[in-house]
Amino acid sequence: MKSNYLDELNYLLFRNAKLVKRVLLIIVFSVVSISFSWATDYYFSSSSGDDNRSAAQAQNASTPWRSIDKLNSFADQLRSGDRILFKSGDTFYGTIQISRGGSSGNPIIYTSYGSGAKPVITSMVRVTNWVSRGNGTYEATLSSMDGGKVQIFSVNNQLREVGRYPNAGTANEGFLTVTSVNNALSIQGANMPANYVGGEIVIRKNDWITDRHEISYNAGSTISFLTTPETGYTPKVGFGYFVQNHLNTLDQFGEWAYYKSNKKLYGYFGGQNPNNLNVEVATRDYLIKTNRYIQNLTFSNLNLKGANADLINIQNSANIQITNCELNFAGQNAIYSHTTPDLIIRGNSFNYSLSGGVFLPFSTPRAIIQDNTINNTMPFQGMANSSDLKGIAIYIAGDANNSQVTRNEVLNTGFNGIHFGGNYTVIKNNFIDNYCLFKHDGGGIYTNSDGITWGNNEGREIVGNIIRRGIGAIAGTPVDDELAEGIYIDDNANGIKISGNTISDVTGKGLYLHNAKNLEVLNNTFYKTPIQLHVGDDVMGNPVRNVRVEGNQFSWVYPDEVPYSISSDANDIDQIGTSNNNYFLDPYGVEVLFKSQSPNDGPGGRKWNMENWTNQYGYERNSLRPIFDLEKYTVTSSNTIKESNFNSNLNIVSAVYNGSSELSTGIDGGVWKVNFNQTTNASAFIQIGAVSQGDEILVEFDTKSSTPNQTVGLLLEKTFNQNQEGTVFNFVTSTETKRVKILLKANVGTGNESIVFKFPKTLPSILIDNFKVSKVKTNPINVEQQVFFQYNFSNQTVSYPLSGVYKNAKGEIFNGSVSIPAYGSALLAKIEEGSTVDNQPPVTNIVTPTQNQSFDEGTSILIQAYVADPENQISKVEFFRGNTLIETVTKAPYEINWNNAPA
């Protein structure tokens, strides 16, 4: 029978005796209302079952059938409402072949019965016939394999990477470099130390493509290989490669190779005998596979473990639900489905899918992907499938109209966290952490037009997601920039509302709008990101148009950040749309918050403060930038090396290019006045003598100009010549006298260094006075003591204590605490010290199951709790039923499987 556990879960939290009576009343109603909707239950137990029993006997839990083979032989006789019940704690080997479906509202259900762990459906078999080949290498023969390919190999339940040369973790992350390309199927590179014919070459062909080919020839530095039909990409000089899946690559414990030609499995175990270890391989391509045209199925409370292709493969079917299952060790995708409308994937946990987590390549309208945890998608560089769209945790295609991807946790992903398409698709309240681990030029959330010109342009939303730690993988590429974007709206994407998202700690752009149009960018928060919002168009797509940017919180807290930049191949930056009423947190008074890159700006682009940005392009007229002027460091020692008040001479000035110097007045007695011809950018040099690598150089001066809001750069000449990136610091001119203090760091030791001013051609003249250069030693002030950032991945408001008075970029004041809304964040800067706030209680909330969710009696119920402590002092989380402790969890994720829950 079924029972409703909503009140039971409230009882878990509140232990309210009055609710017990309500539970009983609801259960009685639930039983009466649905007890006659089921047809027949069929029981399976690998520990006590017997396939020789009759169908009538198998309807009794005490006389179950035993195997998946028996289920498959009987599958054509199943009817709507039938339930296939696997005994909890048992393990079943094989592929469930689905040939019949249920009816609307009355599906055929595959689930569990009894108490204990979820029943395991697997194709994993233990390898026990190992024979030593010497030097720590062993071989075994595999007799029964689907498809002739092994992808899943584990030692003591730990997934192992196929053997490779060079090993991962060595120089250049184990990549050799393509030095020349003979043709599409042959390259030159490093001299190879062995014969690898029959193994694989893994070639990184661009930022987001890693292809696998079988090696047909190698000698010296030449490797030739067979075509891979699934890819059309060709090798390129400067990109990386390695070889794998060959006996000659095995030199680390747990590495392996499989030869389909002789069905031999090889492994390296050093001084250990693998027959004494639990070495397992997957032997089937699928664990659940549907025939075509199957409708109305439910899979719940199952543990699917180990298949060389997909754990669940669904094609040309409809109305299928996968709930509360564990999906582990997928050789390709955990769930693969196409031409399957109304697919529901809810409350599952995924771990170790080598190519993709949820992969819905086409024709899956109205998909619901909700409350899942998807971890370790594409955990190895060379074991995902070839070509595009590999290494993505959740992929739904461009025709997945009206789909929802909500409240999922997406962790540790090789490429994109979520890649979506479809009109009226909603991506909401997901948590995406640590992605683009093996590929880059991707994003935590990514979309493009998918080549569809007639769709993907209406009612799409990316709302309330938390995205952090986009890494970007440059190993095996000739580039130096890690390109992991937070949200990536790519070529010709259209019709999207991007609202209320939090993006932090990514290596690329927080939000990248590339050749996109008809977008709303509202109320997002960006933190610790090199470029927080970048709007750009180029020859890859149409110009960016009709973009509305409003209510967003940008920040410049760490060196070299750019809160907002726009680039274009044309001089049309003022035509992208509207941008206003945004908020800029600039706690250290950097001022230069914007960058433009257009033909008018030159190859390096141009940086702007807010006033000049508004005057030039009309943006940010009503945006806010509160003044904080916090210090990033304290000076512990100082030695003046150059100083002048310009009262008598300009001897301190070494040279001025594209301008001229003169003594003048206007600040404090004599001043250095620099005049410019305004036909090109200008520069001025002040020699400061010898510096050593690592020296800190503090430059201080007063300045004033009749032309305000012009950006002037300051740098150390030799350090800049070595590496321009991150070595230029800026200040902005003002009609009032302002004191400028800039701390430079020498990355190059030299006997004759110079301070260099870089002046824009739009500046007619500038006054500089009371100039001083010192070698100093500093102690940095911990940014986290001055800037508060926190996110809240839960469905309720959480309060955090503050040790002082803080202000956000909107100018709102927070004294002692801040409340963060559900799926939101807070970004504040300190304006006043305060006493330590008393220890605050943690916040707890059950997020799974959800309101009014019901379960079959006897099934295992996944309970996921959101637990947050303001002081970050959580040591354990205990789950109770009344006064009875069910289970204790000592680390996140805080979740349990509640087995044998009573009605």
Side-chain angles (χ1 to χ4, degrees), residues 14 120 129 136 145 163 209 255 265 283 353 355 370 520-521 536 538 557 616-617 628 670 702 769 844 868 871:
F14 305 112
V120 176
N129 58 340
M145 295 289 300
I209 294 295
E255 287 188 331
L265 181 68
T283 58
S353 304
S355 206
Q370 188 175 81
E520 292 183 288
V521 180
D538 53 34
V557 175
Q616 181 72 19
Y617 297 116
F628 293 90
D702 296 323
D769 199 1
T844 63
E871 291 79 32

Side-chain angles (χ1 to χ4, degrees), residues 501 503 509-513 521-535 548-557 561-566 578-587 593-594 610 613 620 623-626 628 787 807-810 827-829:
N501 302 283
I503 301 168
K509 276 95 54 189
L511 172 56
Y512 186 14
L513 310 181
V521 180
L522 310 174
N523 307 314
N524 303 284
T525 299
F526 303 92
Y527 177 68
K528 204 173 182 181
T529 299
I531 300 176
Q532 294 172 4
L533 170 59
H534 180 69
V535 182
R548 176 186 168 210
V549 182
E550 188 168 327
N552 302 282
Q553 296 192 61
F554 301 95
S555 62
W556 189 322
V557 175
E561 289 184 306
V562 176
Y564 193 163
S565 71
I566 305 177
T578 62
S579 185
N580 206 353
N581 298 308
N582 295 296
Y583 307 96
F584 295 84
L585 189 79
D586 179 18
L593 306 171
F594 306 91
M610 187 177 291
W613 181 257
E620 314 310 325
S623 295
L624 296 180
R625 175 186 161 263
F628 293 90
V787 177
K807 182 168 66 174
N808 65 13
K810 298 180 180 181
L827 178 57
L828 320 170

